[in-house]
Amino acid sequence: MLQRLRESKSAQGTLLALPTTVWLFVLLIIPLILTLIVSFGKRSPDGDVIYTFTLDNYIRLSGYSTDCPDGQTACFDPLYVGILGRSMSLAFNTTFFVITLAYPLAYFIARAHPKQRNMYLFMVLIPLWTNFVIRVYAWMMLLRKEGAINIIIGWVMNLLNIPFTPLEMLYTPGAVLVGMVYEFLPFMILPIYTSLEKIDNSLYEAAADLGANAVKTFLRVTLPLSMPGVVAGTILVFIPVMGTFIVSDILGGRQVILVGNLIQRQFLDARDPTFGSAASLILMVLTLIVTYFYTRKFGFGEEIVAA
Amino acid sequence: MISEFAVEMRDVVKRFITPEGNEMAAVDHVTMKIKNGEFFSMLGSSGCGKTTSLRMIAGFEWPTEGEVFIEGKPMGHTPPFQRKVNTVFQSYALFQHMTIYQNVAFGLEMEGAKEEEIKKRVGRALDMVQLTGMDRRKPKQLSGGQQQRVALARALVKTPDVLLLDEPLGALDLKLRKEMQLELKALQQQLGITFIYVTHDQEEALTMSDRIAVMSKGKVQQMGSPVEVYERPANKFVADFIGESNFLEGKIRTISKDEATVFIPGLNAELTGMPVSDGLVKGEEVYVSIRPEKVRITEKNAINQNIFHAKVTNTVYIGADTHIYVEAHGVKLKVLEQNRISRLDPKSFYSVGQEVWLMLMPENTLLLKKD
């Protein structure tokens, strides 16, 4: 037995992959199948699941309805489609701002003196030591009407003798965006840093030697060679942002409802796991579609290898 | 041509701060004048300042003191992309995300050349380095030797006044390296471009160069043709670094205008008729330097001048030659004999313990100052 294992590379591979495979099967594949089954079920009046096969939950999500108030035979309620659209546009916006903020910083760290580099990376990671929820609450303290930002602006305005009414920043889509960008920034900085750091200095010198100034060197050499990092970071940011509900819950209040909040409320408040399951699956499918087209264009952020 | 000299380094100093915080001169008052169309090598071991000198010509570093001139123009802080020199990097520094064609075209695109012209010139450059038809491949799909050629084509396509080469053959295997040495030399002669070549390999420098600057500790030790630096090394460092040398410690007994007599305490004997170089005086401590291949070794005592009895302590057969290690009164010497006849013939070589005679012909020796 042991002898066979020593000789067989494929048996070694199977053995090494076994724990993760079991883990994923029990905690991902089986729950997913359960979710799928539940999503085709019906809610009983007391909040239990009646196992049957109906597409009612999906039809309800699409907004199409035959039970219309003004006597029409069919009508359309954009509530859920709107939530999905808002979630997706927020995920796009968050990813965009995260890239815009993370790239220059990653570039700065990658070009810094090796001694300082570790310190900068450390500083990027420090916020992650604090709980996610607590960091979001911290933004609440900054953004609310009596919060730090309003106090500082008010103080400056007072000095300048300009009348100032505190800004309503909390519970707006902007607050949610700011919170999201803040939360996911490190996940973009690290992969971009990694790919920038790998670029050999002689490549910058070669570009300069061949007549490229700083801007052209960046556009033709640095940026293309760091794309794997941007792609990896985008996947790490976009997918979780699509599903998160804590940031919108705390910083958006009841004003900004994302698909994550919708799912959470179906399970915990509305006690309708069948509709929650359907929404979960639709979210997953949407995320997969976007990721599929994105990775088909840019790859998974792997090394640029010979085509 | 604007200037007789393609590149001139005038009293250039480059100081760095070491990690310990000390100041160190990587290049220490170097002056070099490199003629147009010359194949010029900077030769030295790592840390001798050769690469730093090259980088200052390329514009990657700026001198702390002194000035670099290219075609007679002082460069000051001119950035690399405004200098009419191009570099072949030791690591090749090819752009992995671009095809071979795109790599070679890059420099022309930066000049703003038209697409038609780029196509023509890239094609010609790839033909020149024998990479015709490889233009669509990525660098990783090529062998080390081919990548090296791409790096060469990418630099040459810009038709620079001066091509800078930083140990370009360092990563290639011996056979390929020897081929490339001859190819590079032929290419240089064909194009008539000034090549400045940095290497630690003395054989490479001797093979290709018109002139060599032997460098050590940031200073130029000697500048001259391959024959000059090999046959007339200026000091012990050069004699030792280029090729091999036996050094016998001695003291000048008598000295005239053309020859000197040197007493070698180790051999308890005098060497007569030694050639005289500048600045030597009577009583001075010197090294008598002689190349291993220039020591004559015989079984019988044939002449009377400068001949010593010695014993073979070891022989090393290396194919074309045999290295014979001998000892005479405790002084150790290395002698190189060509294997003119098959080593399978037992009479063709000296054996360990054999008594031999060594002849140091005056014309093959050099007196070097002890410092």
PDB file of all heavy atoms in Angstrom, chain A residues 246-259:
ATOM      1  N   ILE A 246     -23.474  43.721   5.206  1.00  0.00           N
ATOM      2  CA  ILE A 246     -23.202  44.433   6.459  1.00  0.00           C
ATOM      3  C   ILE A 246     -22.982  45.927   6.214  1.00  0.00           C
ATOM      4  O   ILE A 246     -23.542  46.775   6.906  1.00  0.00           O
ATOM      5  CB  ILE A 246     -21.968  43.814   7.164  1.00  0.00           C
ATOM      6  CG1 ILE A 246     -22.332  42.408   7.625  1.00  0.00           C
ATOM      7  CG2 ILE A 246     -21.528  44.663   8.340  1.00  0.00           C
ATOM      8  CD1 ILE A 246     -21.180  41.629   8.193  1.00  0.00           C
ATOM      9  N   VAL A 247     -22.197  46.241   5.198  1.00  0.00           N
ATOM     10  CA  VAL A 247     -21.885  47.645   4.948  1.00  0.00           C
ATOM     11  C   VAL A 247     -23.156  48.429   4.630  1.00  0.00           C
ATOM     12  O   VAL A 247     -23.416  49.492   5.192  1.00  0.00           O
ATOM     13  CB  VAL A 247     -20.868  47.786   3.794  1.00  0.00           C
ATOM     14  CG1 VAL A 247     -20.577  49.243   3.510  1.00  0.00           C
ATOM     15  CG2 VAL A 247     -19.585  47.053   4.128  1.00  0.00           C
ATOM     16  N   SER A 248     -23.996  47.855   3.747  1.00  0.00           N
ATOM     17  CA  SER A 248     -25.211  48.576   3.375  1.00  0.00           C
ATOM     18  C   SER A 248     -26.173  48.638   4.548  1.00  0.00           C
ATOM     19  O   SER A 248     -26.916  49.606   4.711  1.00  0.00           O
ATOM     20  CB  SER A 248     -25.858  47.914   2.170  1.00  0.00           C
ATOM     21  OG  SER A 248     -25.942  46.522   2.366  1.00  0.00           O
ATOM     22  N   ASP A 249     -26.154  47.604   5.379  1.00  0.00           N
ATOM     23  CA  ASP A 249     -27.028  47.589   6.553  1.00  0.00           C
ATOM     24  C   ASP A 249     -26.683  48.721   7.508  1.00  0.00           C
ATOM     25  O   ASP A 249     -27.549  49.444   7.974  1.00  0.00           O
ATOM     26  CB  ASP A 249     -26.841  46.241   7.268  1.00  0.00           C
ATOM     27  CG  ASP A 249     -28.153  45.678   7.752  1.00  0.00           C
ATOM     28  OD1 ASP A 249     -29.162  45.945   7.073  1.00  0.00           O
ATOM     29  OD2 ASP A 249     -28.141  44.989   8.783  1.00  0.00           O
ATOM     30  N   ILE A 250     -25.386  48.872   7.779  1.00  0.00           N
ATOM     31  CA  ILE A 250     -24.968  49.840   8.792  1.00  0.00           C
ATOM     32  C   ILE A 250     -24.888  51.253   8.224  1.00  0.00           C
ATOM     33  O   ILE A 250     -25.360  52.206   8.818  1.00  0.00           O
ATOM     34  CB  ILE A 250     -23.606  49.425   9.401  1.00  0.00           C
ATOM     35  CG1 ILE A 250     -23.750  48.051  10.069  1.00  0.00           C
ATOM     36  CG2 ILE A 250     -23.107  50.464  10.387  1.00  0.00           C
ATOM     37  CD1 ILE A 250     -22.453  47.469  10.548  1.00  0.00           C
ATOM     38  N   LEU A 251     -24.273  51.385   7.035  1.00  0.00           N
ATOM     39  CA  LEU A 251     -24.069  52.733   6.493  1.00  0.00           C
ATOM     40  C   LEU A 251     -25.219  53.172   5.596  1.00  0.00           C
ATOM     41  O   LEU A 251     -25.371  54.358   5.315  1.00  0.00           O
ATOM     42  CB  LEU A 251     -22.751  52.798   5.710  1.00  0.00           C
ATOM     43  CG  LEU A 251     -21.484  52.509   6.524  1.00  0.00           C
ATOM     44  CD1 LEU A 251     -20.261  52.584   5.623  1.00  0.00           C
ATOM     45  CD2 LEU A 251     -21.348  53.485   7.684  1.00  0.00           C
ATOM     46  N   GLY A 252     -26.033  52.204   5.128  1.00  0.00           N
ATOM     47  CA  GLY A 252     -27.145  52.570   4.248  1.00  0.00           C
ATOM     48  C   GLY A 252     -28.474  52.594   4.966  1.00  0.00           C
ATOM     49  O   GLY A 252     -29.468  53.050   4.427  1.00  0.00           O
ATOM     50  N   GLY A 253     -28.471  52.083   6.183  1.00  0.00           N
ATOM     51  CA  GLY A 253     -29.712  51.995   6.940  1.00  0.00           C
ATOM     52  C   GLY A 253     -30.725  51.199   6.148  1.00  0.00           C
ATOM     53  O   GLY A 253     -30.396  50.188   5.528  1.00  0.00           O
ATOM     54  N   ARG A 254     -31.972  51.651   6.141  1.00  0.00           N
ATOM     55  CA  ARG A 254     -32.984  50.949   5.360  1.00  0.00           C
ATOM     56  C   ARG A 254     -33.103  51.584   3.968  1.00  0.00           C
ATOM     57  O   ARG A 254     -33.912  51.171   3.172  1.00  0.00           O
ATOM     58  CB  ARG A 254     -34.333  51.010   6.078  1.00  0.00           C
ATOM     59  CG  ARG A 254     -34.324  50.253   7.387  1.00  0.00           C
ATOM     60  CD  ARG A 254     -34.980  48.880   7.208  1.00  0.00           C
ATOM     61  NE  ARG A 254     -34.426  47.909   8.177  1.00  0.00           N
ATOM     62  CZ  ARG A 254     -34.805  46.629   8.221  1.00  0.00           C
ATOM     63  NH1 ARG A 254     -35.713  46.178   7.372  1.00  0.00           N
ATOM     64  NH2 ARG A 254     -34.278  45.816   9.095  1.00  0.00           N
ATOM     65  N   GLN A 255     -32.263  52.600   3.730  1.00  0.00           N
ATOM     66  CA  GLN A 255     -32.387  53.334   2.463  1.00  0.00           C
ATOM     67  C   GLN A 255     -31.754  52.559   1.306  1.00  0.00           C
ATOM     68  O   GLN A 255     -32.258  52.590   0.207  1.00  0.00           O
ATOM     69  CB  GLN A 255     -31.702  54.711   2.545  1.00  0.00           C
ATOM     70  CG  GLN A 255     -31.910  55.452   3.840  1.00  0.00           C
ATOM     71  CD  GLN A 255     -33.378  55.795   4.061  1.00  0.00           C
ATOM     72  OE1 GLN A 255     -34.041  56.220   3.128  1.00  0.00           O
ATOM     73  NE2 GLN A 255     -33.876  55.590   5.284  1.00  0.00           N
ATOM     74  N   VAL A 256     -30.615  51.949   1.573  1.00  0.00           N
ATOM     75  CA  VAL A 256     -29.889  51.299   0.491  1.00  0.00           C
ATOM     76  C   VAL A 256     -29.990  49.788   0.673  1.00  0.00           C
ATOM     77  O   VAL A 256     -29.296  49.207   1.496  1.00  0.00           O
ATOM     78  CB  VAL A 256     -28.407  51.732   0.479  1.00  0.00           C
ATOM     79  CG1 VAL A 256     -27.692  51.137  -0.732  1.00  0.00           C
ATOM     80  CG2 VAL A 256     -28.291  53.239   0.495  1.00  0.00           C
ATOM     81  N   ILE A 257     -30.899  49.183  -0.069  1.00  0.00           N
ATOM     82  CA  ILE A 257     -31.079  47.737   0.059  1.00  0.00           C
ATOM     83  C   ILE A 257     -30.392  47.049  -1.108  1.00  0.00           C
ATOM     84  O   ILE A 257     -30.655  47.347  -2.271  1.00  0.00           O
ATOM     85  CB  ILE A 257     -32.572  47.360   0.114  1.00  0.00           C
ATOM     86  CG1 ILE A 257     -33.174  47.962   1.401  1.00  0.00           C
ATOM     87  CG2 ILE A 257     -32.731  45.842   0.111  1.00  0.00           C
ATOM     88  CD1 ILE A 257     -34.659  47.864   1.449  1.00  0.00           C
ATOM     89  N   LEU A 258     -29.477  46.145  -0.780  1.00  0.00           N
ATOM     90  CA  LEU A 258     -28.764  45.378  -1.807  1.00  0.00           C
ATOM     91  C   LEU A 258     -29.290  43.957  -1.788  1.00  0.00           C
ATOM     92  O   LEU A 258     -30.016  43.564  -0.875  1.00  0.00           O
ATOM     93  CB  LEU A 258     -27.265  45.388  -1.533  1.00  0.00           C
ATOM     94  CG  LEU A 258     -26.626  46.766  -1.489  1.00  0.00           C
ATOM     95  CD1 LEU A 258     -25.157  46.649  -1.141  1.00  0.00           C
ATOM     96  CD2 LEU A 258     -26.811  47.503  -2.809  1.00  0.00           C
ATOM     97  N   VAL A 259     -28.874  43.195  -2.741  1.00  0.00           N
ATOM     98  CA  VAL A 259     -29.384  41.837  -2.829  1.00  0.00           C
ATOM     99  C   VAL A 259     -28.967  41.031  -1.601  1.00  0.00           C
ATOM    100  O   VAL A 259     -29.722  40.171  -1.126  1.00  0.00           O
ATOM    101  CB  VAL A 259     -28.956  41.179  -4.168  1.00  0.00           C
ATOM    102  CG1 VAL A 259     -27.477  41.063  -4.283  1.00  0.00           C
ATOM    103  CG2 VAL A 259     -29.607  39.821  -4.344  1.00  0.00           C
TER     104      VAL A 259
END
